[in-house]
């Protein structure tokens, strides 16, 4: 049994129809081996308006009834962080696919736990609270915050890093509650944001916006795999406790050559029979 997990398709930013057609063909080809397709965030921006067409496009290449979509940070652009999930849940139900925010899906002996898991902005916590404050300040360079990209609250205001930290805590609490439940089979976690500095790439002032240091959580619960996107950086490793970490970003159109699309699609194929490590 296999699942196909892909992140960061950014379908609304692909300008070359030939590239879009090739991407669809490669998803269909890889999907022939998969029992489910899971989109791990950043399908489009302005999701309330653009997901219906994007889901229709996906459905032309893989059955919608076997597809689950999890929002990433870009999907919230043009929306309200507090209310958009309800709209996206409805859009998915009307389109015949699943919505993956804080959802569990069981496939055979494998439970799949899905959530966006915004970061806690504490990746540099070892440097003290001053380093965390610097991270919060630097985060405001991200388009997520300000620029009228994402709003929150009623009345609406521009999103701030503290808002997504609060969402991170709620989503992490949900994830921990699920991981703590006894389960005799395998466990796969799927998030948009990265769970460990080990797979975040070279550090920069913006790294805390992409990655949380969840190594202790991973070691405590030892899921068989943790699949993510967001960084657009190919990465794969086994943690000391055996958890497979894998980035499944496809990336922006200018980040891949047409010849690489098939490789990037197949990177998202997860064999649930072989996912367990040492």
């Amino acid at each position: 049994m296999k699942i196909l997990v892909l992140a960061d398709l950014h379908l609304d930013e692909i300008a070359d129809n030939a590239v879009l057609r090739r991407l669809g063909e490669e998803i269909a080809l890889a999907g022939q081996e998969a029992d489910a397709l899971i989109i791990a965030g950043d399908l489009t921006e302005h999701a309330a308006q653009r997901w219906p067409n994007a889901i229709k496009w996906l459905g032309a290449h893989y059955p919608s009834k076997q597809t689950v979509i999890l929002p990433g940070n870009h999907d919230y652009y043009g929306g309200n962080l507090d209310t958009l999930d309800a709209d996206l849940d409805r859009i998915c139900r009307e389109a015949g696919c699943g919505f993956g925010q804080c959802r569990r899906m069981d496939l055979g002996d494998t439970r799949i736990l899905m959530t966006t898991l915004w970061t806690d902005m504490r990746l540099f916590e070892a440097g003290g609270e001053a380093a965390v404050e610097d991270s919060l300040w630097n985060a405001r360079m991200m388009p997520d915050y300000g620029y009228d990209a994402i709003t929150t609250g009623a009345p609406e205001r521009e999103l701030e890093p503290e808002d997504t930290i609060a969402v991170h805590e709620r989503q992490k609490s949900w994830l921990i509650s699920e991981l703590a439940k006894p389960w005799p089979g395998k466990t796969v976690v799927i998030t948009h944001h990265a769970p460990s500095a080990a797979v975040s790439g070279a550090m920069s002032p913006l790294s805390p916006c992409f990655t949380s240091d969840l190594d202790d959580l991973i070691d405590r619960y030892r899921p068989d795999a943790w699949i993510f996107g967001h960084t657009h950086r190919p990465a794969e490793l086994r943690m000391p406790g055996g958890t497979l970490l894998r980035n499944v970003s496809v990336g922006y159109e200018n980040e891949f050559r047409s010849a690489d699309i098939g490789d990037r699609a197949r990177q998202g194929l997860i064999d649930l029979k072989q996912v367990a490590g040492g």
Side-chain angles (χ1 to χ4, degrees):
M1 184 172 288
K2 298 180 181 179
I3 56 176
L4 177 61
V5 189
L6 300 173
D8 308 293
L9 295 178
H10 296 286
L11 291 180
D12 52 340
E13 299 195 33
I14 299 178
D16 188 332
N17 286 332
V19 171
L20 185 62
R21 182 170 58 251
R22 174 72 187 280
L23 176 60
E25 291 169 352
E26 294 297 346
I27 290 174
L29 186 61
Q32 290 177 3
E33 302 181 44
D35 295 278
L37 168 64
I38 300 172
I39 303 299
D42 286 5
L43 179 61
T44 71
E45 296 183 2
H46 296 271
Q49 292 76 40
R50 298 176 184 172
W51 268 25
N53 284 338
I55 293 170
K56 182 182 293 187
W57 182 89
L58 284 173
H61 304 290
Y62 191 86
S64 294
K65 65 181 181 180
Q66 295 169 238
T67 299
V68 180
I69 306 176
L70 171 69
N73 58 312
H74 276 259
D75 297 295
Y76 289 100
Y77 285 15
N80 186 307
L81 184 66
D82 294 338
T83 62
L84 187 60
D85 279 355
D87 293 333
L88 298 183
D89 190 5
R90 174 184 51 78
I91 288 169
C92 286
R93 282 187 282 106
E94 290 175 353
C97 64
F99 183 59
Q101 187 65 278
C102 292
R103 297 287 170 85
R104 166 178 167 165
M105 177 173 67
D106 295 345
L107 283 178
D109 70 344
T110 302
R111 61 177 176 178
I112 300 170
L113 308 176
M114 299 169 281
T115 184
T116 302
L117 201 62
W118 292 82
T119 72
D120 58 8
M121 298 290 179
R122 304 191 72 83
L123 189 63
F124 299 151
E125 186 175 23
E129 286 303 314
V132 176
E133 289 299 319
D134 285 345
S135 295
L136 291 172
W137 176 261
N138 291 328
R140 289 171 170 81
M141 292 187 288
M142 287 283 288
D144 298 4
Y145 308 106
Y147 309 95
D148 291 318
I150 306 174
T151 61
T152 189
E156 290 188 330
R157 58 174 174 79
E158 289 186 338
L159 190 70
E160 297 181 358
E162 290 81 2
D163 298 314
T164 55
I165 291 171
V167 177
H168 165 89
E169 293 299 331
R170 293 197 298 269
Q171 293 175 346
K172 185 173 73 170
S173 293
W174 172 84
L175 180 59
I176 289 173
S177 71
E178 292 294 322
L179 288 169
K181 295 176 181 177
W183 178 254
K186 302 179 184 68
T187 298
V188 174
V189 176
I190 299 176
T191 61
H192 182 62
H193 294 69
S196 173
V199 286
S200 66
M203 290 293 115
S204 81
L206 293 180
S207 291
C209 299
F210 291 85
T211 307
S212 298
D213 180 2
L214 301 178
D215 290 8
D216 288 346
L217 185 154
I218 293 170
D219 187 59
R220 182 161 73 250
Y221 294 104
R222 301 195 176 186
D224 296 279
W226 193 308
I227 313 301
F228 64 96
H230 193 36
T231 66
H232 292 212
R233 175 185 178 273
E236 179 174 331
L237 60 79
R238 289 270 180 193
M239 297 295 277
T243 299
L244 171 70
L245 304 185
R246 181 184 293 180
N247 181 288
V248 293
S249 293
V250 175
Y252 293 116
E253 182 180 359
N254 65 358
E255 291 179 322
F256 57 79
R257 294 174 294 107
S258 181
D260 294 331
I261 298 176
D263 291 340
R264 294 202 176 202
R266 292 195 64 82
Q267 177 71 7
L269 269 176
I270 313 296
D271 190 333
L272 299 179
K273 293 182 179 179
Q274 300 177 3
V275 73

